[in-house]
Amino acid sequence: MFGQMMNTPLLISSLLVHAEKAHSRGEIVSRNPEGGIHRYTYADAARRARKLANALSTLGVQPQDRVATLAWNTHRHYELYYAVSGSGAILHTLNPRLFPEQIVYILNHAENSVLFVDAQFLPLIEKLKDQLPLLRHIVVMTPADKLPASSLPLISYEALLDAADDQYQWPEFDENTAATLCYTSGTTGHPKGVLYSHRSTVIHAMAAMAKDALGIGNASALLPVVPMFHVNAWGVPYAATAAGAKLVLPGAGMDGASLYELIDAESVDLLLGVPTVWQGLLQYCDKEDLMLEPVCDVVIGGSAAPISMIKAFHEKHDAFVIHAWGMTELSPIGTVNCRTQAMLEMEDDERFRLQAKQGRPVFGVDIRIVDDQGNAKPHDGVAFGRLQVKGPWIASGYYKQEGGKEWQDGWFDTGDVATIDEQGYMAIVDRAKDVIKSGGEWISSIDVENIAVGHPAVAECAVVGVPHPKWDERPLLLVVTRPDATLTKEEMLAFLDGKIAKWWMPDDVLFVDSLPHTPTGKLLKRQLRDEYQGVYQ
Amino acid sequence: MFGQMMNTPLLISSLLVHAEKAHSRGEIVSRNPEGGIHRYTYADAARRARKLANALSTLGVQPQDRVATLAWNTHRHYELYYAVSGSGAILHTLNPRLFPEQIVYILNHAENSVLFVDAQFLPLIEKLKDQLPLLRHIVVMTPADKLPASSLPLISYEALLDAADDQYQWPEFDENTAATLCYTSGTTGHPKGVLYSHRSTVIHAMAAMAKDALGIGNASALLPVVPMFHVNAWGVPYAATAAGAKLVLPGAGMDGASLYELIDAESVDLLLGVPTVWQGLLQYCDKEDLMLEPVCDVVIGGSAAPISMIKAFHEKHDAFVIHAWGMTELSPIGTVNCRTQAMLEMEDDERFRLQAKQGRPVFGVDIRIVDDQGNAKPHDGVAFGRLQVKGPWIASGYYKQEGGKEWQDGWFDTGDVATIDEQGYMAIVDRAKDVIKSGGEWISSIDVENIAVGHPAVAECAVVGVPHPKWDERPLLLVVTRPDATLTKEEMLAFLDGKIAKWWMPDDVLFVDSLPHTPTGKLLKRQLRDEYQGVYQ
C-alpha cells in the first residue's frame, strides 16, 4: 500500500521559484569578469533565469541537450544553473584548468552544441574550435558592447537576454531526469562524467541546509570560492537559494586581496573552498595585519585541511573550520565535521586534532570500510579499510560507460583508505593505490610523510610501497632536503623513531633532487613506484 | 534521460541506522509513565527497536498492517515509531482525548488488530473492547511486574522485548510505501485518516533539520511537548534522530512544574508545542519566580501564538518564539517564522507583530491564496484568500476515501483564509467557514474578536456572519461580559471605532450569558450562525 501523499517531483526549478516567493529580497552579489560588483535579488535572478530559459529555446536547445559552460562564479553562471536544468536540459560545467585535449574530449563526449563562456576563456576555444565539430553556438557571458573581436561568430549573453520574454512556465517532469553533468579527471585515462538528477540535487541541497551540514540559513552571507565548475560548487548555489541566503560570488578574483575585500564589504560569515585558496587568504591577512571579522565558519574540503590552518583560523580570526569530505561522485557531500557539544568543551589542541578528521556522514550518506575482499572492517578508529559509500546523491555509474569496477554490492568504492571510529568520525588515511601493504597489514604513506616533513632539513618527501621478497611491500622514504641543509638516513630514521609504529619505519631513505608532480601539484607516486620498484629485491 | 544516481529509497529505518552509526552516544531521556526518568542512547534505542521489530513478527504483524498506539511521549513510543514503520507495517497513533465513539470508529476503520497502550488508557479500552472485534493483541507499555489486573488478556511490552532477538535486518522497499497513519477530527463527520509515506516522512524530517525550519542539530536538546499521537509529534522524533539531538520526552507530565523540572535538569534549549501548554509553563514560572535559563527557542504551532506569549518568552525568559503553522494533512510543517537579519534589527514591538504571523513556507511547500472561484489573489499582505498548499509531504487524499473536495488542480485547500505578503509571510485570518462575506469582500471574524476582547468589560466574545438582505452577510458581535462589569452596545462599538475598517463594524451587538464550545474549547460558530440567522432579515 502506498502512502497518500502528493507526488510532487523534486525539481531544481522549485528552488528558485521558492526563493522568488519567500526570499524575494535576498541578495546575490558577484564580482563581474568585465569589472565591478553586480548586485541583485533572488526575484531579479528568477526573472532573468526565465528570460534565459526562453533564449535557450531560441538557440534550439532541446530537453536533455547538454549545454556547456566554461566560466567563473558569477551571477550569469548562477542563472545558467537554473535556466538550463530548470528547462529540462542538462547543465554541463567545464573546468578551464584541464588540459586543452581533455576539454576537447569532454565537449565531444558530451556532444555539446551550445557553449556559454567567460570572455577570458575565449582564446582557448578559438584555438580548439576546429576539433569541436558539434559546437553550433558560442555565447560570451558579457554585455554586447564588451563582446571581444574574434574569428568565431559570437553571441552576447546580455543581448540574448534583452531579446527574450520574461514569462516562462518551468516544466514539470520526472525527478530522476538528468539535470547536470560534471567530469572528474583522474591521473590515468579519459575524464569520466557524473550525471546528477534533479532528485539527487534537491535532496543534496536539503541535506546541505541542515544545521550540522553547511547550516545555510536566510541570515547567512556565504562566499563559495569553490568554483561553480567543480561539482556544482558543492551544491551551494542550490542550498543558498532554498534558504534565501546572501550569495557572494567571487568571479575570477580568488587571490587573498580580492577575497578579503569581498568578505569585508559583504559581511561574509561562511566561507567554502579548498585549502590552497585559504592559504592565500591567510597569508594576505598576515601580511596586511587584517582580521576576517565577520567570518564565523570556514568549510574546507577538496583536500585535507592541515591542523596549522584549522589553528590559524581559530587563533587569528576567531573562525571555526568545518572540515568536510566529498567527491564528484558524491554530489559532493559525504562527511562533515560539525561543531558538537563535546568539541566545545575540549582543550584547543584536542579539538584541533578532532577537527582534522574528515567528520561524520551527513544523514543520507551511509559509509563503511572494507578489506580487499569486501569484508566490512570494524568502526574502531584504528582499522584501515577501503572507504565505500551509498545514498541517494551518489553516482551509480559514469556517463556513457558500462559497468564500472567502482561499484560493488550497491556500494561505491571511493578509492580512499580510511578509518571510522565508534562515534562515526571518518579520517582519510591514504589513497587505496598508495597505501603500503606489508605482511597483510596496511601502512599509510601519508601519515609517515606528514611526520617526516616535520624535520627542519626536509623540503619535501614521499613514501611509497616497494615490492619486498618477504613482506610483499615495504615503505621507501624519498627526501628532498632544503638547499642549505644536510641530513643523513640515520638522522631521518631517528627523527621518525617513536613517532610511528616500529613496523611502519621505512626500510630505506633515499635523497633525491626533486619529486614528480601532476600539473595540479599532486605527487605522482605511480611514477615513483615504477622507478624504485627494484630497491628491495 | 535519467541521471545516473543510486536509487536509494528514503526509508524511516535509515534515520535510526544513521543515528546508531553517527550519533551512538546521543541521548533519549523520557519520563516513564510508571515513574522515574529513563535515559539511554540512540544505539540502545536502535537495539531495542530491532528487538521490537522481531516481536511484531511474533505477534503476527504483516507488512502494511496498521499497528495502533494509544500513548504519551515516551522512549517506548519512540521505539514503536521505528520498529513498526521500519519493518514495513504502518504506525497508527491514536489521540486518547477523542470521544470514545471516535476511538472505536478509528480503530475499526483502520482495522487494527494489535494495540500498544499506556496503562493509564487501559480502562478506556476495557470499556470499548466489545466494539472492537478485530483487536487480537493488547500490549501494555510497561514492565511485566507492573502489568495491571484486567478482564482482558494483556501482554507486557518489556516481556515481549525480553523474549526477542536483537538481530534484525531492516527491509528495503519502495519509498512511497505507507509508513504512518494519523486521523484528524473536524467538527462534523467522522475523523479522516492521513496516510504518510516513508518518502514524505523522510523529506519532511530533512526539511525540519534546516537551520531556518526547526534547526535541529546534534548539540540541540529538545523537548517536544506536542504529543506523539498528534501528527507524529510534528516529525520531531524523526528529525532529532537524523541529527543525533538530545531528545527529551515528557511522558504524561505536561503541567508547568513537570516541564520546568525536565527543562532545567536536561538543559533543554528547544521547546515545541501548542500555546495552551506554554501558558501553563509561563504561569508556573511566574508563580515560582523561575527563569527558563537554557531555553533559546520555542516553536509554537497548533493554534496561533498570541503576542503576549511571544513577548513573555522574550522578556522574562530571553527565549525566541518561532511561530509555525501546519496541519495533519501537511505532515505537519507548512510555514515557519524563523529569525531573519531584518528581524534582529527591529524594535521589540515591531518584531513581536511580525512574529505573530505564521511565517514563510519552508522549502518544499508551495502556498497560494485564491478566491471562491479558485483565482489566485495577490501576495500583497492585504488581500484575503483561501489558503492552498502543495508539496511532497502534503496529503493527496484521505485513507479509504474517494475523491475529496479539498483537492483542486493539484492544490490542497486548507480551509483557512490567509494573507501572504511580498516577502512570503503568511498570516491566518480566519477559518474559511467563519469568514464573513459582505458585499463581495471578506471580513475576518477573528480580527474583530481579538480587538473586542481587549475591552476590560468583555469576558469572551464571538463574531459571526449573519445573512443580510443587501450585503449577503454582515457581522454580528456576541458578548459575554465579566460578572461585575456593565457594557452597552454603543460603548462596545465606540471601542471598536478607529481600530477596524468602517465596513467591518458589526451591525449589531448582542449580550449573552455564555457561548457554545467544542470539547477541546473551540467556539462552535456554526451553532451561533444557526441560532442568529434571522437577526438582520
Side-chain angles (χ1 to χ4, degrees), chain A residues 302-362:
Chain A
S303 56
I307 284 195
S308 59
M309 184 174 284
I310 295 169
K311 205 167 156 172
F313 272 115
H314 174 74
E315 292 177 351
K316 298 185 181 167
H317 303 282
D318 195 19
F320 186 87
V321 166
I322 298 172
H323 206 174
W325 170 84
M327 292 175 76
T328 304
E329 291 86 344
L330 273 74
S331 296
I333 302 176
T335 63
V336 175
N337 200 335
C338 69
R339 270 186 199 77
T340 62
Q341 202 55 44
M343 213 181 251
L344 299 177
E345 290 158 12
M346 287 176 185
E347 295 292 320
D348 279 357
D349 283 341
E350 186 186 1
R351 194 183 62 251
F352 295 150
R353 278 195 302 277
L354 180 55
Q355 284 180 271
K357 292 192 172 198
Q358 274 75 13
R360 293 178 297 175
V362 298

Side-chain angles (χ1 to χ4, degrees), chain B residues 5-146:
Chain B
M5 292 282 122
M6 287 186 183
N7 192 20
T8 313
L10 303 172
L11 299 179
I12 288 174
S13 57
S14 66
L15 298 161
L16 190 55
V17 168
H18 174 75
E20 190 175 15
K21 285 189 179 183
H23 305 292
S24 56
R25 298 187 193 171
E27 278 185 311
I28 301 174
V29 179
S30 89
R31 197 182 279 283
N32 263 348
E34 69 263 23
I37 298 287
H38 181 271
R39 182 185 302 274
Y40 68 169
T41 66
Y42 283 106
D44 299 327
R47 188 173 151 273
R48 278 172 54 98
R50 290 195 299 271
K51 286 168 85 82
L52 182 53
N54 283 320
L56 289 170
S57 171
T58 312
L59 293 178
V61 173
Q62 298 292 319
Q64 300 302 285
D65 277 359
R66 277 73 62 205
V67 174
T69 66
L70 197 63
W72 295 115
N73 294 10
T74 67
H75 68 287
R76 296 187 185 110
H77 208 171
Y78 174 89
E79 290 157 7
L80 282 157
Y81 265 50
Y82 288 92
V84 175
S85 301
S87 66
I90 299 171
L91 178 81
H92 172 203
T93 54
L94 274 124
N95 184 345
R97 291 166 182 160
L98 293 176
F99 292 121
E101 55 270 29
Q102 290 178 311
I103 290 178
V104 168
Y105 169 83
I106 292 173
L107 281 167
N108 286 327
H109 187 259
E111 301 166 71
N112 294 116
S113 60
V114 178
L115 170 70
F116 287 79
V117 60
D118 274 347
Q120 178 186 348
F121 303 122
L122 197 57
L124 174 66
I125 294 301
E126 284 169 338
K127 212 169 59 188
L128 303 177
K129 179 64 182 77
D130 289 347
Q131 303 170 62
L132 302 169
L134 299 171
L135 202 56
R136 285 187 294 117
H137 296 297
I138 299 170
V139 183
V140 185
M141 296 163 74
T142 190
D145 60 354
K146 295 269 172 57

Side-chain angles (χ1 to χ4, degrees), chain A residues 77-120:
Chain A
H77 208 173
Y78 174 90
E79 290 157 9
L80 281 157
Y81 264 50
Y82 287 92
V84 175
S85 302
S87 66
I90 299 171
L91 179 81
H92 171 203
T93 55
L94 273 123
N95 184 345
R97 292 167 182 159
L98 292 176
F99 293 120
E101 56 269 29
Q102 289 178 313
I103 292 180
V104 168
Y105 170 82
I106 291 172
L107 281 167
N108 287 326
H109 187 259
E111 300 167 74
N112 294 116
S113 60
V114 178
L115 170 71
F116 286 78
V117 59
D118 275 347
Q120 178 185 348

